[in-house]
Structures are given as structure tokens and as C-alpha cells.
Amino acid sequence: MNEEYIDNVKHLIEQKDADKVKELLVDLHPADIAELCDDLNPEEARFVYRLLNNETAADVLVEMDEDVRKEFLEMIPSETIAKRFVDYMDTDDAVDLMRDLDEDKQEEILSHIEDIEQAGDIVDLLKYDENTAGGLMGTEMVVVNENWSMPECLKEMRQQAEELDEIYYVYVIDDDERLRGIFPLKKMITSPSVSKVKHVMQKDPISVHVDTSIDEVAQTIEKYDLVAIPVVDSIGRLIGQITVDDVMDEVREQSERDYQLASGLSQDVETDDNVLRQTTARLPWLLIGMIGGIGNSMILGNFDATFAAHPEMALYIPLIGGTGGNVGTQSSAIIVQGLANSSLDAKNTFKQVTKEAVVALINATIISLLVYTYNFIRFGATATVTYSVSISLFAVVMFASIFGTLVPMTLEKLKIDPAIATGPFIAITNDIIGMMLYMGITVLLS
């Protein structure tokens, strides 16, 4: 999908040469066509979509960038969206598409869906929080009853499979639709004479509740190496399944959001977003950083006499600020990662702070001794800078490490995204506190 290829497609679209464009698309995977459409304007993308069969068009729409897809859908009548796309989508993909639209548009699309059962499933799924298992699951799956005989089971499986693109697991339920097990396909081949499904099923399969967070779902799938996981309601009834590809998409999006948050972006942005959106995403933390810088200058302005007596102290301002910011970011990054993968519990705050304090003590000692040796050689044993910089660095490293540990764990307890603690917040705070410690210690030793 290089620039030359895209330019060629645009040229053919401009010439209205549908046959040649279709030839270029025929061997492409839906994900590749979606990538192509992301580089086209909405009108050009619309031209491409008219050349695709319904199933391919639906698959391409699922793979498109969310912002591009939303802009594209706003140009298309609700009836076309329903009959050309939604009718050919799994329910989880249809729900993802519908969430991008306003409520009026959603209702219009639902009114044009001919399959009442599918429309009902979409309505039910839209009620769930998109960050929970219920908001991510699909209802397409193969389900058998534990009391069915093997011939009855095979007949029903064939009928259900005709409506599905992929079969990950065959789920076993009881007469009350509660999940009882998973029917291993190997048993179907090796034990075709078994009287009932419940005699060969794998009992008590791993499942998640409908309100389980996506993070927990991803961790469960990763821990047990699953390709799909069943979703149950409060009384254990099977209501859907989540596949690994959907989870990975969510994990990737969450990672992107956390990375941007840690980088000082207040909202999710893309490289092709307009200038206004990119500016509003960056400006808040830049303003906070500016206020932090002004605060630093005010702190330093109160120590004119100290700088006049020891001008060499100014040389170490970047060292103190930079070290504090780096140490704090390191500590908070480790904590945020531990909270994200559940290897660390916010309840163990005291234990983690103690561990971090020991690590900080070692690092602070080594750093301060190295700087003391350097200043001892350069300024001599009697110079104030020789002692004040080393002691200040020691204090700054200790504070930044403990602060960088406490903040994300506290944010986690308050149900605030702890990723914010790996960004400018930690760096600015450590910079200001570091300057206060540096100047205070210098005054005491002068």
C-alpha cells in the first residue's frame, strides 16, 4: 500500500474507471482495503465501497479507522448502513459501529434491520458499558444442551455453524441456559457413540461476568491462553463470548491512550486530526508546565543572595530538576505497569513504598557519592557546593522515588487512570520540590 499505489487508485477514481479500480481491489484483504480507504477522502472511499460485495464491504468498514469511518457513515443513509453493512456484521462489530453514531442515527438504522433477533441483540449490547465484557462481547456462537444425544448435537451444530465465520468453542448449557461446560471437538470425532453431551464435556469452563472490565478480560485470556472466553450474567446464564482479536484491539487502543496520557496529551489524538483538536489536546499540560516553570523561577528568585555568594550553585539546577523528574517517572512507570497487568495490588501500598525506598536509597547513595567526588576534585572539600549538591541529590532521589510510587497507587484507589502519573504531573512536581530542597539545603549549609 505504497504512495504510488494509492495515487494510482485516486487517478482511476478521478477517471471514473470502475473496472480497473475493481481489478486492483479484487485480491486485497479487507484490512488492506480499509487502509486504502483511510488515505482517501470520503467521496473516493464511497466510490470504492460501491464496487465491493456486501460481505467484503462490511469487513472493510470494521477495519477502518474510527474517525474516518464516522465521517464516512455520516454521508450514507441509515437504510443503506443497515442493509449494506450491519446485516453482514457480527453483533459485536455492529455495536462498535453504532457507538460512533448519535442516538437518532442509531434508531434509524435499527428500524431498517430486517432480522428482528439481530436488532434485539444489538439493542441489548448497546446498553452495556463499552469498557466491560458486555460491551465487547458478541452473541454469535455455537451452543448445545448438555442433555442432547450426539446425533442431535451434531445436527444442531451444523445448523448453527452455517451462520458463523469462525468457530472457537462449542458451549454447553443446561435447560435454564446456564453455562455448564465446553464440548471438545476431539470427543465428537473420537467418541461419536456417547449418549449425552454432558458425559464428555469439559466442566466449569473459565468465564467472565458481563460487568467484568476489559482489562480483566484481557488478563484472563492471556493467563489461560484462550482464543475466546464465554460471558455469563449474574445467575450464570451464557449470553455471549469475547474473542481474542477483539480483546487485542481494545488493549492496543488502551495502550495508545495511556501512552498519550503519559506524554501530556489530555485527549486521544491522531496524526491526521485537525489543528484545533491537536492544539486542545496538548495545550492543557503545556500551560500547567508553564505555571510550574513560573513557580520554579519564583522559588529561585527568593535566593538571590545565595546565588551571589555561591554562583556555582546555578550550574546544578538542571541536574537537580532532571534527576528528580527521571527518577519519579521511572518509579511511576513501574507501578503503572504493575497495576495494569495485575502483578501489583493497590492494597499493598506500604509494602511497595518500602521496597521502592530501599531501591531509592541505593541509587541515591551512588549518585550523590559520584557527584560529591566530582565536586570535591573541582571545588575542594570546603566549598558549599561540594556538600549541598550531593545532599540535595540524595534527598531529591528519595522523594521522587517515593512520590512516584505513591501517586499512581493513590490514583488507582481513587479510580483515576494512574497513567497520568507517568507524565508531566510527576516531572513538574518533582522539579518544584527538587528546587525547594536544593535551595533549602544550600541555605542551611551556607
Side-chain angles (χ1 to χ4, degrees), residues 59-78:
D59 290 339
V60 170
L61 198 63
V62 170
E63 298 290 344
M64 283 179 73
D65 178 82
E66 288 184 10
D67 293 333
V68 177
R69 181 172 66 196
K70 184 177 181 180
E71 185 179 359
F72 176 71
L73 290 175
E74 288 175 351
M75 301 172 54
I76 301 176
S78 299

Side-chain angles (χ1 to χ4, degrees), residues 212-272:
T212 302
S213 69
I214 291 177
D215 289 340
E216 288 184 53
V217 173
Q219 290 161 14
T220 303
I221 287 179
E222 180 185 15
K223 181 178 181 180
Y224 297 104
D225 294 327
L226 304 174
V227 294
I229 191 167
V231 182
V232 298
D233 64 12
S234 57
I235 59 174
R237 291 178 299 186
L238 177 66
I239 56 176
Q241 75 167 352
I242 299 173
T243 57
V244 66
D245 58 323
D246 292 326
V247 170
M248 290 304 102
D249 288 341
E250 289 297 323
V251 169
R252 175 182 56 79
E253 290 179 9
Q254 182 62 47
S255 297
E256 290 175 353
R257 285 193 294 268
D258 287 347
Y259 179 77
Q260 292 191 346
L261 190 60
S263 301
L265 296 174
S266 59
Q267 56 183 293
D268 186 25
V269 293
E270 302 288 345
T271 53
D272 56 355

Side-chain angles (χ1 to χ4, degrees), residues 289-303 307 317 321 427-436 439:
M290 180 195 71
I291 294 171
I294 292 173
N296 250 339
S297 66
M298 293 173 65
I299 292 170
L300 296 174
N302 292 323
F303 294 93
F307 283 116
I317 291 175
I428 294 168
T429 304
N430 284 331
D431 199 19
I432 293 175
I433 299 298
M435 285 303 102
M436 293 175 65
M439 300 317 299

Side-chain angles (χ1 to χ4, degrees), residues 349-404:
T349 300
F350 179 77
K351 179 181 177 181
Q352 189 61 35
V353 169
T354 303
K355 181 179 180 181
E356 190 63 31
V358 174
V359 175
L361 181 63
I362 297 171
N363 289 336
T365 300
I366 294 172
I367 291 173
S368 59
L369 283 176
L370 289 173
V371 173
Y372 174 81
T373 302
Y374 170 77
N375 285 334
F376 181 85
I377 296 172
R378 183 177 181 182
F379 299 106
T382 58
T384 301
V385 70
T386 303
Y387 299 97
S388 65
V389 174
S390 297
I391 296 172
S392 298
L393 269 176
F394 185 91
V396 166
V397 171
M398 292 298 298
F399 170 80
S401 296
I402 295 172
F403 186 69

Side-chain angles (χ1 to χ4, degrees), residues 40-108:
L40 303 177
N41 64 45
E43 281 297 336
E44 291 170 337
R46 195 172 181 177
F47 183 91
V48 169
Y49 267 91
R50 291 197 188 100
L51 304 178
L52 305 175
N53 62 55
N54 291 337
E55 290 186 5
T56 302
D59 290 339
V60 170
L61 198 63
V62 170
E63 298 290 344
M64 283 179 73
D65 178 82
E66 288 184 10
D67 293 333
V68 177
R69 181 172 66 196
K70 184 177 181 180
E71 185 179 359
F72 176 71
L73 290 175
E74 288 175 351
M75 301 172 54
I76 301 176
S78 299
E79 184 175 1
T80 303
I81 295 174
K83 296 184 177 180
R84 184 90 199 276
F85 303 122
V86 176
D87 280 350
Y88 297 89
M89 289 181 176
D90 291 338
T91 51
D92 56 335
D93 292 329
V95 169
D96 285 343
L97 180 146
M98 301 280 277
R99 286 192 198 278
D100 293 338
L101 308 173
D102 58 54
E103 290 187 9
D104 291 338
K105 188 89 168 179
Q106 289 179 7
E107 291 178 3
E108 288 179 12

Side-chain angles (χ1 to χ4, degrees), residues 299 303 306 388 392 433-446:
I299 292 170
F303 294 93
T306 303
S388 65
S392 298
I433 299 298
M435 285 303 102
M436 293 175 65
L437 289 171
Y438 181 38
M439 300 317 299
I441 290 170
T442 300
V443 170
L444 289 175
L445 295 178
S446 296

